[in-house]
Amino acid sequence: MEYVILAVVIAVIAVAAIAGLVVSGRRRQQLPPKSQAPVITAPPTTPPEPQVGEEAAPPTEEPRRTVEEVQLPEAEAPAEVAVEVAEAEAAPPVEVPEPTAGRLVRLRSRLSRSQNSLGKGLLSLLSREHLDEDTWEEIEDTLLTADVGVAPTQELVERLRTRVKVLGTRSPDELRGLLREELVELIGKDADRTVHSVKQGEGPAVVLVVGVNGVGKTTTTGKLARVLVADGRTVVLGAADTFRAAAADQLQTWGERVGARTVRGPEGGDPASIAFDAVKEGIAEGADTVLVDTAGRLHTKTGLMDELGKVKRVVEKHGPVNEVLLVLDATTGQNGLVQARVFAEVVDITGIVLTKLDGTAKGGIVIAVQRELGVPVKLIGLGEGADDLAPFEPGAFVDALIGD
């Protein structure tokens, strides 16, 4: 009996052991193997296709091609391209300015505002059937509004009244011809309006450009350089406006466009010294003309005006100053005449440059400023374009005022 019980116990234990082994095997199949944890393995002998994270693996040796199989670019090509780009940035292309001959005639349309106010207004009044005192007073008011000035206005009205009485009939063509003759006479057709920019002897002609702030003086100097280059002159620019920020950069840009050298100094430097060096450079280069852009000083500042006189005296150590051009803003009207008087006391003004004449209905300032200084208008600015500075021609100017 004891043997039977022992056999049963052994059988139960064996069945339990077998069942435990079966369950344990099933659990091992369900759980992930411990060997699947991230490990770094050696690369296979044959490189596989790129996989994520492959960058972390050591580089594999790839088959290399010989020099004959690969066409390498020439080493000189990038250097040449870099040099060409640097040269293009350093030296902008030199422009060929528009010829100055007849430029004012081509720019006649820019005077349309002045034409509407002065020329057409006068023709309308003179065409009335009866020219009584009230009409003549309106003619005077039209001339004064256009900044012709009191004395020139009275002179013109008296001459018109006399000629209208003698003429009798007044057709539109006759009135236009009459008005044209009187205006040309009033402006002055025999004045010397040449900008003296031709070198005399061995030294270059020296032109000082003066004026108050905001009249377009530096721009006018650059445009004048284009006018002279267009007429075959060689030009050196002197950036003596050391008080206005970027004035020298602006002038240098104008010079580079036409191939003119610019002499400049440090910001806030001595303007007289820079003007002196500019003339010295012009002599060394054998240039025809040296244009000196002076600081835009206020005419009410006595010390600054005295400095302008110093610039002129220092430049004259090289030789005479051939031209002193006063730049005036045509839109300032009678205030421009006040500026002109003060500048004339400091330096001998030889010519007037009127800027912004296209944006004003006061073309009569040409007459007034000439009468005030006894100096001719030599150049007029008719716009913001690079070639919108024109030599002043009385006949073409009057034609633009009164129309065809």
Side-chain angles (χ1 to χ4, degrees):
M1 188 67 180
E2 292 178 359
Y3 291 106
V4 173
I5 294 172
L6 181 61
V8 171
V9 171
I10 292 173
V12 171
I13 292 172
V15 170
I18 294 171
L21 291 174
V22 171
V23 172
S24 176
R26 291 180 179 177
R27 289 181 178 176
R28 288 180 181 178
Q29 290 178 357
Q30 293 176 354
L31 294 175
K34 294 182 179 180
S35 60
Q36 291 183 357
V39 293
I40 299 176
T41 59
T45 56
T46 303
E49 295 295 325
Q51 302 293 331
V52 176
E54 189 182 22
E55 294 83 355
T60 59
E61 185 176 355
E62 298 180 358
R64 304 190 181 189
R65 292 179 292 176
T66 63
V67 175
E68 290 77 6
E69 295 174 339
V70 180
Q71 294 182 355
L72 298 176
E74 296 181 1
E76 294 80 11
E80 292 179 356
V81 173
V83 171
E84 292 178 358
V85 172
E87 291 179 350
E89 294 178 353
V94 177
E95 300 176 9
V96 179
E98 181 183 4
T100 59
R103 182 179 290 188
L104 181 56
V105 177
R106 295 193 298 274
L107 299 176
R108 179 182 297 182
S109 60
R110 300 292 177 87
L111 291 171
S112 59
R113 296 184 184 181
S114 297
Q115 173 183 332
N116 292 336
S117 176
L118 181 57
K120 289 186 176 180
L122 291 176
L123 286 174
S124 176
L125 292 171
L126 290 172
S127 299
R128 290 182 180 179
E129 186 176 354
H130 299 288
L131 295 178
D132 52 16
E133 290 300 322
D134 292 339
T135 302
W136 287 111
E137 288 183 4
E138 289 185 46
I139 292 175
E140 287 187 2
D141 291 341
T142 300
L143 292 169
L144 291 173
T145 302
D147 278 340
V148 174
V150 177
T153 293
Q154 293 176 346
E155 179 182 336
L156 179 59
V157 169
E158 288 301 320
R159 296 175 65 172
L160 285 173
R161 294 183 73 160
T162 301
R163 295 198 59 179
V164 166
K165 288 181 180 179
V166 173
L167 183 62
T169 58
R170 299 186 303 275
S171 66
D173 290 339
E174 290 173 331
L175 286 174
R176 182 175 287 103
L178 171 63
L179 184 59
R180 184 186 188 282
E181 291 177 10
E182 294 300 331
L183 286 174
V184 170
E185 185 68 25
L186 196 61
I187 292 174
K189 57 184 178 181
D190 298 327
D192 181 14
R193 303 184 187 277
T194 304
V195 177
H196 298 288
S197 57
V198 180
K199 62 189 304 183
Q200 304 293 331
E202 297 182 357
V206 179
V207 180
L208 294 184
V209 183
V210 303
V212 301
N213 295 308
V215 297
K217 183 168 45 55
T218 301
T219 300
T220 297
T221 304
K223 290 182 179 181
L224 179 56
R226 294 179 65 89
V227 170
L228 297 178
V229 170
D231 290 340
R233 310 277 204 280
T234 55
V235 178
V236 172
L237 299 174
D241 185 356
T242 60
F243 300 114
R244 184 172 67 85
D249 293 336
Q250 181 183 358
L251 188 64
Q252 183 172 346
T253 300
W254 279 102
E256 290 173 349
R257 291 178 179 177
V258 293
R261 182 187 297 273
T262 301
V263 177
R264 54 184 298 179
E267 185 174 343
D270 182 16
S273 175
I274 296 172
F276 182 87
D277 291 341
V279 178
K280 182 179 179 180
E281 182 70 19
I283 295 173
E285 290 190 5
D288 295 315
T289 312
V290 175
L291 299 178
V292 180
D293 176 30
T294 61
R297 57 206 73 244
L298 297 175
H299 63 280
T300 56
K301 303 272 184 84
T302 305
L304 293 177
M305 294 301 294
D306 292 341
E307 185 179 328
L308 177 60
K310 174 187 173 183
V311 171
K312 185 173 184 291
R313 292 191 300 272
V314 169
V315 169
E316 286 176 336
K317 293 181 180 180
H318 285 298
V321 174
N322 301 81
E323 285 276 5
V324 179
L325 297 177
L326 174 62
V327 181
L328 294 177
D329 185 341
T331 63
T332 59
Q334 296 299 313
N335 187 44
L337 299 182
V338 177
Q339 300 171 15
R341 295 190 199 104
V342 179
F343 276 96
E345 294 173 359
V346 179
V347 290
D348 296 326
I349 305 296
T350 60
I352 305 294
V353 182
L354 279 175
T355 63
K356 307 178 186 179
L357 196 58
D358 61 315
T360 177
K362 300 185 177 184
I365 190 66
V366 172
I367 300 171
V369 71
Q370 289 187 150
R371 286 296 185 92
E372 179 67 29
L373 295 181
V375 174
V377 173
K378 295 190 174 183
L379 298 164
I380 57 175
L382 297 171
E384 298 181 358
D387 293 317
D388 288 342
L389 185 72
F392 182 70
E393 305 167 19
F397 179 77
V398 172
D399 288 338
L401 289 181
I402 64 177
D404 296 327

